[in-house]
Amino acid sequence: EIDFLLDVAGDLKRKFYMDVPTPYLPLKTIFLMFFEQSTRTRNSMEAGIAQLGGHANYLDTSSMQISHGESAKDTGIILSSFGHGIACRNCFWEIGNKYLREMAAHSSRPIMNLQCDLYHPMQGVADLMTIKEKFTSTKGIKVSIIWAYATSHKKPISVPLTQALLFPRYQMDVTLAYPKGFELPDWAIDEAKENATRYGGSFRITHDIEEAFRDADVVIPKNWGSWSSKDPDVNIDDFKDWKCTEKLMSIASKDVKYMHALPADRGNEVEDSVIDGPHSIVYQEAENRLHTAKAVMMLTM
Ligand code: CP
């Protein structure tokens, strides 16, 4: 399914570049429910459905009856009776994924995950598409998912968790690097290792940032909040040196690619000279959010 999705996304990308109309979802309506802010996700879905001939209703959930306690079940039943799909971002810890599944259990239309507390599948498939565009094969490439210091906001674990689960399925050699205290849940690590064993990739963990950068083909340094942040021993300011610098990039492979889901905390997560430099593919990665979002809508709605 993922391979087919990427094939469709590639077709849509070619047609977008050639200005070929793609009215595959004429007059279809998707509801876009956001509990949190968004630039890429909202606009890739909204522009995407317009380019497919349909229409998006953007819903800031703070202005919906959800804020008065209306249930996921009732919201899912009602919206799915009005249109053809519902997409939702809800990143509240231990709530978001359950909320989406509750809607899915009652909706008569597909529910799309625009990021929850656990997963960011739309980002994952766009990242995979970008890596596949840059490398002749994903087999054996060294990809390091690296925790990075940030002050902008406490970011969910959903992006690194999704990448850790997905990339080993494409035979990549994945390294997950973080300072102690920023662990991903044990079940996710077990699943990532199982995926590596089953599909022929590999998965390892390190707490040494230099080890994560050394000889890497792709580095993805990004902050995530400690999901077990009740631990009083973890002080994020102790880890300011977990930053993607030119010096660290110099020990990676010669053609290393720098990726980030964005928004990046410039100056903290990454030096400007790296994110704006020749190894950075962040804008291609962001652009692919459009093509993959369109493919997801096309294949589900
Ligand atoms: N990467 C990503 O999901 O970006 P937004 O938060 O802007 O949607």
Side-chain angles (χ1 to χ4, degrees):
E1 286 179 349
I2 296 170
D3 289 342
F4 188 62
L5 177 94
L6 294 185
D7 191 34
V8 171
D11 183 50
L12 289 164
K13 184 170 182 173
R14 276 190 297 278
K15 287 179 171 144
F16 183 74
Y17 273 65
M18 293 188 294
D19 247 340
V20 174
T22 53
Y24 300 128
L25 295 175
L27 304 177
K28 292 206 171 174
T29 298
I30 185 166
F31 297 96
L32 306 179
M33 295 171 56
F34 279 85
F35 285 81
E36 287 94 12
Q37 302 87 338
S38 168
T39 296
R40 281 141 290 271
T41 307
R42 174 184 173 175
N43 291 291
S44 59
M45 295 292 286
E46 234 175 283
I49 190 71
Q51 291 161 21
L52 294 170
H55 167 75
N57 265 22
Y58 172 74
L59 298 166
D60 175 342
T61 54
S62 67
S63 65
M64 294 175 72
Q65 295 295 9
I66 291 165
S67 57
H68 291 150
E70 185 157 28
S71 67
K73 173 185 169 182
D74 290 353
T75 306
I77 291 173
I78 305 297
L79 292 183
S80 64
S81 74
F82 289 177
H84 307 87
I86 304 172
C88 179
R89 167 173 286 187
N90 184 338
C91 297
F92 290 108
W93 180 245
E94 291 185 331
I95 293 173
N97 192 263
K98 291 194 183 95
Y99 188 92
L100 284 160
R101 289 183 188 280
E102 182 68 8
M103 275 208 298
H106 298 284
S107 167
S108 57
R109 301 288 187 178
I111 300 290
M112 281 155 259
N113 184 343
L114 298 183
Q115 189 176 25
C116 66
D117 49 334
L118 302 178
Y119 306 109
H120 197 349
M122 296 293 207
Q123 186 66 50
V125 288
D127 291 347
L128 182 59
M129 180 176 185
T130 310
I131 291 172
K132 282 169 89 72
E133 286 173 339
K134 286 291 176 195
F135 294 87
T136 44
S137 165
T138 55
K139 186 175 179 182
I141 62 168
K142 293 183 172 56
V143 178
S144 293
I145 302 162
I146 306 166
W147 185 91
Y149 176 75
T151 57
S152 53
H153 64 291
K154 189 171 154 174
K155 304 183 186 193
I157 59 171
S158 49
V159 171
L161 194 154
T162 298
Q163 293 164 339
L165 295 182
L166 179 61
F167 295 165
R169 295 174 66 179
Y170 282 80
Q171 301 182 309
M172 300 181 206
D173 291 330
V174 176
T175 298
L176 180 69
Y178 54 85
K180 285 184 180 158
F182 294 92
E183 290 76 16
L184 297 183
D186 289 343
W187 62 262
I189 299 304
D190 291 346
E191 209 175 309
K193 286 178 181 167
E194 279 166 29
N195 286 346
T197 305
R198 185 165 168 201
Y199 295 100
S202 68
F203 184 85
R204 66 175 180 144
I205 291 175
T206 177
H207 304 299
D208 179 343
I209 191 168
E210 285 194 18
E211 193 183 321
F213 273 84
R214 188 160 296 114
D215 301 324
D217 298 305
V218 178
V219 290
I220 315 177
K222 183 188 181 308
N223 180 258
W224 63 85
S226 165
W227 68 282
S228 55
S229 58
K230 290 152 202 116
D231 182 351
D233 296 333
V234 176
N235 178 3
I236 190 171
D237 287 338
D238 290 343
F239 307 114
K240 287 186 179 175
D241 54 345
W242 282 72
K243 178 196 289 195
C244 183
T245 60
E246 286 206 65
K247 193 167 168 217
L248 282 168
M249 290 291 279
S250 72
I251 63 170
S253 95
K254 191 166 68 65
D255 293 323
V256 60
K257 307 299 178 205
Y258 166 84
M259 298 179 71
H260 193 298
L262 302 179
D265 188 343
R266 285 169 175 259
N268 285 319
E269 286 181 304
V270 58
E271 288 177 347
D272 280 342
S273 56
V274 173
I275 192 168
D276 296 326
H279 297 282
S280 175
I281 55 171
V282 294
Y283 298 127
Q284 181 175 339
E285 180 184 2
E287 184 201 316
N288 283 336
R289 293 293 309 274
L290 172 71
H291 311 300
T292 46
K294 285 162 74 175
V296 170
M297 287 188 279
M298 254 187 74
L299 295 172
T300 56
M301 285 172 63

